[in-house]
Amino acid sequence: MELSRRTLLALTGAMAVSGPSARTTTRAALFRGVGQPLSVETIQLDPPRPTEVHVRMVAVGLCHTDLHVLRGERQVGMQPMVMGHEGAGVVEAVGAAVRDIETGDHVALTWLPACGVCRWCRAGAHHRCAESSRIARGPQLDGTYRRRDAAGRDVGSFCLVGAFAERTVVDQASVVVVDKSIPFEVAALASCGVPAGVGAVTNAARVRSGDSVVVIGVGGDGMNAVQGARLAGAKVIIAVDLHAWKLDAARTFGATHTIQAGAGVDLPARVRELTEGVGADHAFVCVDPAATLLDASRATTVGGTVVMTGLTPESVATTPVPPIELLRGQKTVIGSVYGSASQRTGIPEVLRLYRQGSLKLGELVSRRYRLDEINQGYADLAAGRNLRGVLQLG
């Protein structure tokens, strides 16, 4: 009989912890309400349970997903909640049931767990893990809490990670061990935005040598879609963004052409001009799909593929693309999560490409911030000042 993950956690609940096991305190950035700045506070952190890992955080990327929460565009299950999900650090303690993770290991944290027992994980499709529906609720995978604020209230962890903290406790399902030679900020970016962009090209769209590509929004995901298209051998790589400086940067990452978006710009027409009048083979929507999906679809050729990596606010309930256009254009629209591949293999793969010099990852970092500067970091993100801001914690 197959045991559920929750049953497994319960059965191992009395096992010991390897490493420091006392309750401790840590500083963390808490979400306490829509429209409010993140609150940097000292909270209590319990030791890891048997399948969990205590991690000292070193670097965390500032991703747009958290901004959706701060703006009320994505709902979470509770407040307060420690935000942050694109992180890397050092293991300081492990539960007795943890496998293949040891104290001292350098790790990247994954914003989707890989439970290992659901039908998707058993098939190697960890990016479709059945536990993914729980990432915004707040509790740990076993339904309990490891964090409390100064008033003694339970504190949740966003994406089962809660990375905007000096220390965190996560289930082993959210941990990937990385080589100690990898810089922490590179490992952090490899845990979210890099495989999302590169994998959208290589796995979701399966771009081939000689294809033409348009990438809408060249921030955290989009710049990596540009890199993925270059690696795939795309002949035409068109970067689209509101900000001229990002377009200049996109050329250094592999874009062959750029289009500055804005009022009065006919994006599909501009793309056709750059693709012999027929449109791109593939379009990647890496920002605001509600506003850009229709142009992306119309910018692709007959039989073209549109891949969405960017989130929409939960209030957006319909697609702007008329079904008749999809039918007549014989087009495919795909949603891609974690680059449409297992995070267990996707993270090591992008780090392998980084080590051999095929991917620029350190160059993605525009600014670095201390924990007390996190709200400035998100203001910079919202204003389009960063490709990726990184929170430095250690």
Side-chain angles (χ1 to χ4, degrees):
M1 180 179 66
E2 179 182 321
L3 297 176
S4 69
R5 179 168 184 81
R6 186 168 293 189
T7 300
L8 290 171
L9 292 171
L11 289 174
T12 57
M15 293 183 177
V17 173
S18 173
S21 59
R23 178 179 298 168
T24 187
T25 60
T26 188
R27 296 176 74 235
L30 275 60
F31 170 68
R32 287 193 173 272
V34 172
Q36 299 179 27
L38 289 170
S39 176
V40 178
E41 304 176 22
T42 297
I43 61 172
Q44 289 187 337
L45 183 67
D46 287 346
R49 298 279 178 93
T51 65
E52 294 176 341
V53 178
H54 178 114
V55 180
R56 175 175 61 83
M57 298 305 299
V58 179
V60 190
L62 304 187
C63 179
H64 210 101
T65 299
D66 298 78
L67 188 59
H68 281 296
V69 175
L70 301 182
R71 290 173 168 172
E73 297 168 348
R74 179 177 183 182
Q75 302 299 310
V76 293
M78 64 180 295
Q79 301 166 17
M81 179 177 285
V82 180
M83 299 301 292
H85 64 278
E86 188 180 77
V90 181
V91 174
E92 292 193 328
V94 298
V98 170
R99 299 293 176 262
D100 302 319
I101 305 169
E102 300 178 352
T103 57
D105 279 346
H106 292 192
V107 295
L109 305 185
T110 66
W111 62 269
L112 281 181
C115 75
V117 298
C118 72
R119 60 170 290 196
W120 302 112
C121 286
R122 294 198 310 272
H126 302 100
H127 59 298
R128 296 174 179 167
C129 179
E131 300 286 9
S132 63
S133 63
R134 303 176 57 197
I135 63 173
R137 295 181 187 175
Q140 307 287 105
L141 272 181
D142 68 357
T144 63
Y145 296 89
R146 302 293 170 270
R147 301 158 185 82
R148 279 173 298 281
D149 67 8
R153 290 171 294 190
D154 288 329
V155 174
S157 61
F158 187 53
C159 291
L160 300 167
V161 168
F164 289 157
E166 294 169 339
R167 285 175 169 79
T168 189
V169 170
V170 303
D171 194 88
Q172 64 183 345
S174 300
V175 175
V176 172
V177 177
V178 301
D179 191 276
K180 291 182 179 179
S181 67
I182 300 292
F184 284 107
E185 63 184 22
V186 167
L189 301 189
S191 74
C192 179
V194 179
V198 174
V201 173
T202 58
N203 302 318
R206 298 186 182 276
V207 173
R208 297 174 296 182
S209 179
D211 283 355
S212 56
V213 165
V214 57
V215 180
I216 302 177
V218 285
D221 287 5
M223 200 65 82
N224 292 299
V226 169
Q227 295 203 81
R230 173 179 52 79
L231 288 174
K235 182 179 180 180
V236 176
I237 305 172
I238 306 166
V240 181
D241 204 278
L242 291 170
H243 302 281
W245 76 268
K246 289 187 179 182
L247 297 176
D248 290 339
R251 287 189 175 272
T252 71
F253 283 88
T256 60
H257 303 79
T258 61
I259 299 173
Q260 187 165 6
V265 175
D266 186 338
L267 180 60
R270 292 288 303 279
V271 172
R272 286 192 293 271
E273 290 172 2
L274 298 172
T275 54
E276 300 178 345
V278 298
D281 296 304
H282 310 278
F284 297 89
V285 180
C286 302
V287 64
D288 197 0
T292 61
L293 183 60
L294 180 58
D295 274 352
S297 178
R298 290 176 174 173
T300 57
T301 190
V302 173
T305 301
V306 181
V307 181
M308 292 185 296
T309 70
L311 289 176
T312 61
E314 292 177 338
S315 59
V316 178
T318 59
T319 174
V321 183
I324 192 64
E325 293 190 17
L326 296 177
L327 176 64
R328 289 175 176 170
Q330 303 172 54
K331 298 183 181 182
T332 301
V333 178
I334 305 171
S336 179
V337 171
Y338 250 128
S340 297
S342 166
Q343 55 272 43
R344 296 288 176 190
T345 58
I347 292 172
E349 174 61 12
V350 296
L351 291 176
R352 182 187 69 80
L353 291 169
Y354 162 77
R355 294 183 71 178
Q356 73 178 33
S358 298
L359 281 179
K360 296 181 178 183
L361 300 191
E363 294 87 340
L364 292 166
V365 180
S366 305
R367 289 177 177 80
R368 295 169 178 85
Y369 304 89
R370 299 187 304 274
L371 183 59
D372 290 325
E373 299 173 317
I374 191 166
N375 291 301
Q376 181 60 53
Y378 270 104
D380 290 342
L381 173 62
R385 300 188 187 105
N386 288 340
L387 296 180
R388 212 38 146 206
V390 170
L391 197 66
Q392 292 184 320
L393 293 161

